Amino acid sequence: MLLTQRLANRPTRVGAGHRRCPAPFQGSKLVPSTSCAAAAEVAEALTASTSKTADATSPAPPVGGLGELPNIVSLLRSRGLVQEVTSEELVGAAGTEPLSVYCGFDPTADSLHLGNLLGIVVLSWFQRCGHEPVALLGGATGRVGDPSGRSTERPVLSEEQIEHNVAAIRSLLQSILTRNAQPGSPPVRVLNNLDWFGPMSFLTFLREIGKFARVSPMMAKDSVRTRMESEQGISFTEFTYQLLQGYDFVHLCRDHGVRVQIGGSDQWGNITAGTDLIRRLLGGGAAAGGGAAGGGGGAGEEREAPSCYGLTFPLLVDSEGRKFGKSVGGAIWLSADKLSPYKFYQYLFQVTDADVIKLLKMLTFLPLEHIAALEAAMGAPGYVPNTAQRRLAEEVTRFVHGEEGLAQAIKATEALKPGAATQLDAATLETVAGDAPSASLTRGSVEGATLADIMVAIKLQPSKSAARKLIKGGGVYLNNAKVAAELYVVQPSDLIDGRLLLVAAGKKNKMLVRVTD
């Protein structure tokens, strides 16, 4: 059985009568007069006005109704954020009425990563233009596994791990989309598809959903065909994934007024499965083919399916076609518990010149004119290297981790710069611990010892005489402060939080010293 009744404490589904005849589409749940709180910002990003001082990170005041705004689809296209749309009618619909738009996130880990960030950014763009963002957690689909982009079947996670991942991702999405919402824009809704799939029996699934799916187009999907041609093949479980995601769209459309689904380009097959199911289950009446979901055995009244749309964005890849979000140490996580804001910032700061402009367009809300100016400056005399990368790192870190996270990242970055004079604290030193060599010494070997002795003990200098000579020449720093006394003795007050020292020989060669009792 695909999904059983073992989660009996979950909210129960509506009665059998409702299941047999889905409620007619009620239209958008948003008030038509919803305004775009970032209208000035959006217009700037789309039309590249002549203003040189626009700050896209500052909330713009609400102006006018949605009908006065630049079209969100055109805006996304101008930033390279549209791969395909199921119908060009979306362009007109998005420019004249508020829509609810959703993006799904399966709980394969307890954090999303940089590759997932595009979905969040696109949701935020819709939100800034007066549309309602809906983040859908795959509490059910995560138990099945999406075959899209996979050469092998995903490992099965325990129920406890999936629930933990769902809770963590829910908190992350709520935090990012709420913190970055502009004044007056619709709030984010976070839903979980286990709430409707959990109580559904296998027979109900077959009768209400499977009956209206056709195997030939299911097998023609790229994600299925590729796996079927592989040595391992594809399991029935993963084969049905597109039906689960397709029914998500049906449920969200019927019960929550959602009319747009967005996703990466690898989700095109799953998205079109959803729009097809909407046509079959929510429209047609007798033409739908009868059955439980088709309108009471084929005798239902003719009705028109709601106009629903899909939009995909390109996968986040670098100039050589490799996926962004991976590093030698693993995924670039969005959760500060798994990757510090400092390391997140550093990853973005180190992207190549070939990729930085594209990422500024796709991952930030800076006006296109501002980005074009940065691009022009990169080829001009006097350009300070990594200026564009620094702006990218600042904007994206602020979006994901907020002002506090950005401040932490910048402070930690400054702490490790050659010749930095940043005032240090324990939190900053712990943040950079993985990016600076470290050593441990006992408290007795540190307090009351000369700095020259400590430098030899941690192998920062080969001998005491060499250490003293370097100190005398002004080349030694303790906690980013230059040491002038050749025989400087380390005091308990020098220890940050009573347990840490940062010693530098020259401007670049730094060592973090942990003091133990």
Side-chain angles (χ1 to χ4, degrees):
M1 182 173 291
L2 182 66
L3 289 170
T4 68
Q5 299 280 357
R6 57 189 169 186
L7 298 172
N9 60 330
R10 293 254 170 203
T12 56
R13 277 174 57 85
V14 293
H18 181 78
R19 291 200 304 267
R20 293 175 62 85
C21 185
F25 179 70
Q26 299 298 319
S28 173
K29 304 293 184 180
L30 291 176
V31 178
S33 60
T34 301
S35 63
C36 175
E41 172 185 320
V42 171
E44 220 170 0
L46 183 59
T47 63
S49 68
T50 57
S51 171
K52 298 292 184 182
T53 58
D55 182 0
T57 64
S58 301
V63 291
L66 190 61
E68 302 172 20
L69 301 176
N71 187 275
I72 179 63
V73 180
S74 300
L75 185 150
L76 294 174
R77 278 181 169 147
S78 72
R79 305 183 76 92
L81 288 171
V82 175
Q83 181 91 357
E84 294 181 277
V85 293
T86 56
S87 172
E88 285 298 322
E89 292 178 3
L90 174 60
V91 178
T96 58
E97 60 180 311
L99 300 172
S100 286
V101 53
Y102 94 93
C103 186
F105 303 90
D106 275 350
T108 55
D110 57 359
S111 173
L112 301 175
H113 54 74
L114 190 61
N116 302 124
L117 186 57
L118 273 183
I120 304 175
V121 167
V122 174
L123 277 181
S124 186
W125 270 120
F126 271 95
Q127 183 183 35
R128 288 165 184 243
C129 289
H131 304 290
E132 180 188 42
V134 177
L136 181 64
L137 301 169
T141 45
R143 287 165 162 81
V144 172
D146 185 359
S148 302
R150 299 277 301 186
S151 58
T152 59
E153 192 156 355
R154 295 180 186 273
V156 178
L157 301 178
S158 68
E159 297 282 328
E160 293 75 19
Q161 185 62 55
I162 291 173
E163 290 298 321
H164 169 75
N165 293 352
V166 165
I169 294 174
R170 176 189 293 275
S171 176
L172 181 66
L173 288 168
Q174 192 84 49
S175 173
I176 293 175
L177 288 168
T178 300
R179 182 176 60 247
N180 289 284
Q182 304 296 292
S185 61
V188 61
R189 280 194 291 165
V190 183
L191 305 176
N192 185 347
N193 62 14
L194 188 61
D195 289 339
W196 48 90
F197 278 121
M200 184 185 293
S201 71
F202 184 55
L203 288 177
T204 301
F205 175 80
L206 292 178
R207 183 175 176 84
E208 292 197 358
I209 306 169
K211 178 179 177 60
F212 298 94
R214 295 296 175 261
V215 173
S216 293
M218 290 178 66
M219 294 179 67
K221 304 293 185 187
D222 288 341
S223 59
V224 173
R225 188 176 66 252
T226 302
R227 287 285 295 278
M228 289 185 66
E229 294 171 353
S230 69
E231 182 177 345
Q232 188 184 52
I234 186 171
S235 69
F236 174 76
T237 300
E238 285 194 324
F239 178 67
T240 61
Y241 183 94
Q242 59 183 288
L243 294 185
L244 297 180
Q245 184 169 327
Y247 186 74
D248 280 340
F249 204 173
V250 173
H251 178 89
L252 291 172
C253 172
R254 184 185 62 208
D255 291 14
H256 298 278
V258 175
R259 293 178 55 198
V260 183
Q261 180 182 176
I262 65 170
S265 57
D266 60 345
Q267 294 298 305
W268 179 252
N270 294 330
I271 290 174
T272 55
T275 55
D276 183 62
L277 275 178
I278 286 172
R279 286 192 296 269
R280 292 175 180 273
L281 269 71
L282 302 186
E301 296 179 1
E302 290 286 340
R303 61 180 180 271
E304 183 178 355
S307 297
C308 293
Y309 312 97
L311 180 150
T312 61
F313 42 81
L315 299 180
L316 198 62
V317 296
D318 64 18
S319 55
E320 297 182 5
R322 297 171 300 194
K323 283 187 177 181
F324 268 106
K326 299 288 184 180
S327 71
V328 176
I332 305 302
W333 301 108
L334 304 186
S335 170
D337 294 334
K338 293 177 73 71
L339 188 75
S340 71
Y342 163 72
K343 291 185 177 179
F344 183 82
Y345 178 99
Q346 285 297 312
Y347 179 84
L348 293 164
F349 185 77
Q350 293 167 18
V351 303
T352 65
D353 285 352
D355 294 313
V356 66
I357 296 301
K358 180 180 74 172
L359 293 181
L360 279 166
K361 292 178 181 179
M362 299 179 77
L363 294 180
T364 79
F365 299 88
L366 290 174
L368 290 177
E369 184 194 40
H370 188 109
I371 297 172
L374 280 172
E375 184 176 19
M378 290 175 68
Y383 173 73
V384 178
N386 296 321
T387 297
Q389 283 86 344
R390 180 175 294 104
R391 192 63 191 269
L392 172 69
E394 289 174 356
E395 295 296 323
V396 181
T397 303
R398 180 187 290 111
F399 181 75
V400 174
H401 294 291
E403 292 290 351
E404 183 177 346
L406 175 60
Q408 179 191 120
I410 291 176
K411 186 174 183 180
T413 299
E414 293 295 321
L416 285 187
K417 281 178 62 175
T422 305
Q423 187 173 359
L424 299 175
D425 53 48
T428 300
L429 286 181
E430 291 291 1
T431 296
V432 304
D435 291 86
S438 62
S440 294
L441 295 177
T442 63
R443 192 172 301 278
S445 62
V446 172
E447 295 179 358
T450 65
L451 185 55
D453 288 335
I454 293 174
M455 293 178 71
V456 173
I458 61 177
K459 297 182 173 55
L460 202 55
Q461 285 293 291
S463 66
K464 295 179 183 179
S465 59
R468 289 196 294 268
K469 182 178 180 181
L470 189 62
I471 293 172
K472 186 176 180 180
V476 175
Y477 298 79
L478 180 62
N479 298 333
N480 279 347
K482 184 181 290 187
V483 177
E486 183 179 348
L487 296 177
Y488 184 85
V489 175
V490 175
Q491 303 297 320
S493 58
D494 290 321
L495 273 62
I496 296 175
D497 198 30
R499 57 189 176 87
L500 296 169
L501 291 173
L502 185 65
V503 183
K507 292 185 176 181
K508 296 183 178 180
N509 196 11
K510 298 189 177 186
M511 178 80 73
L512 178 65
V513 181
R514 298 180 184 276
V515 180
T516 61
D517 292 320

